Amino acid sequence: MEAPNFLEFIAHALHLPNFMVFTWFIMLVIIVLAISVRFSLKFMPSNFQNVVEAFISGMYNFVEDILGPKETKKHFKLIASLGIFIFFSNIVELIPWFVPPTSSWNTTIALAILVFVYYQYLGIKHNGLKYIKHFMGPVWWLTPLMIPVEIIGHFARILSLSVRLFGNIGGDDLLLAVLFFLVPALVPIPVMFLILFAAVLQSFIFPLLTTLYIADAVATHHES
């Protein structure tokens, strides 16, 4: 039995949605790869190690340009983990019969809620009650207007993060399914590359927005 069908069998046997079982599978793959890379590190790096180190270093420097050295050390693990998980979850849509977890809104909204809770926690941790005060606006007489506007704006970030990722990957997955149905012997290569580009792009945008939200929460502390 092929791996994808086996995963679907597990989902059916456990009465779980397909995307959930495929999420566990991708998490297992990432953990195995991480352990494998960890124990294969060499003082004189191989070509593969050079590529991995260059990628992580580039990602770290990019985040550091936004958050600064101190905050990057604290939050890079979460940001990088989100990027890696989303990347693997996106690209599996190129494998026939695989269900990309990010094509389900349940997955993307869970990630978005995680980011929302995390940066709100940082804002309160860094600023205390002053973080809540910034929801009230610059002057007291604007408070009745600013509080609902700020609350709606912050909760809109959950929808923005989740719907953007879900919509792009879900749409790509549907397009691939239609193409495989119509021309199963030859899926147009340009379409495959386009979908791959979109999958990689979305795995970059989500961590980028997460970094900006964290920077915004931390910046309030410095400004207050």
Side-chain angles (χ1 to χ4, degrees):
M1 181 176 293
E2 296 180 354
N5 293 332
F6 178 67
L7 293 176
E8 291 177 357
F9 172 78
I10 293 177
H12 179 74
L14 297 177
H15 302 286
L16 294 171
N18 284 344
F19 78 88
M20 187 176 293
V21 176
F22 279 91
T23 298
W24 295 343
F25 174 75
I26 290 170
M27 290 168 60
L28 178 62
V29 169
I30 294 173
I31 291 172
V32 171
L33 286 175
I35 294 174
S36 175
V37 170
R38 171 64 181 83
F39 285 100
S40 63
L41 293 177
K42 300 176 182 178
F43 182 75
M44 297 297 291
S46 61
N47 291 334
F48 176 74
Q49 184 176 333
N50 278 327
V51 171
V52 173
E53 289 181 355
F55 172 77
I56 297 298
S57 177
M59 190 175 182
Y60 188 92
N61 292 335
F62 179 81
V63 174
E64 190 176 43
D65 288 340
I66 299 175
L67 293 181
K70 182 179 178 181
E71 297 299 329
T72 301
K73 290 180 180 179
K74 298 177 182 178
H75 314 302
F76 181 73
K77 291 180 181 178
L78 172 67
I79 295 169
S81 297
L82 286 171
I84 292 170
F85 172 74
I86 292 172
F87 172 74
F88 277 92
S89 297
N90 289 352
I91 63 171
V92 295
E93 69 177 334
L94 297 174
I95 305 174
W97 302 292
F98 264 76
V99 178
T102 43
S103 67
S104 169
W105 193 46
N106 294 278
T107 301
T108 61
I109 198 169
L111 295 175
I113 291 173
L114 170 65
V115 171
F116 176 81
V117 172
Y118 185 74
Y119 84 77
Q120 295 291 355
Y121 162 75
L122 290 178
I124 296 173
K125 179 183 177 182
H126 279 267
N127 305 288
L129 294 177
K130 291 182 180 179
Y131 180 72
I132 299 175
K133 185 179 178 181
H134 92 273
F135 283 79
M136 300 178 182
V139 290
W140 65 267
W141 49 270
L142 282 176
T143 297
L145 174 64
M146 293 303 298
I147 287 180
V149 169
E150 288 286 345
I151 291 176
I152 292 173
H154 279 265
F155 276 98
R157 293 178 176 181
I158 299 178
L159 287 177
S160 174
L161 284 172
S162 60
V163 173
R164 178 186 292 106
L165 182 56
F166 156 69
N168 279 276
I169 304 305
D172 291 346
D173 193 44
L174 179 61
L175 174 61
L176 267 181
V178 171
L179 289 175
F180 272 114
F181 177 77
L182 295 176
V183 282
L186 182 64
V187 175
I189 299 300
V191 175
M192 297 285 285
F193 276 106
L194 181 61
I195 290 176
L196 177 60
F197 173 76
V200 173
L201 180 62
Q202 291 304 316
S203 66
F204 168 77
I205 291 177
F206 197 101
L208 171 61
L209 292 175
T210 300
T211 303
L212 293 175
Y213 295 156
I214 292 174
D216 181 55
V218 174
T220 305
H221 167 67
H222 296 302
E223 292 168 2
S224 57

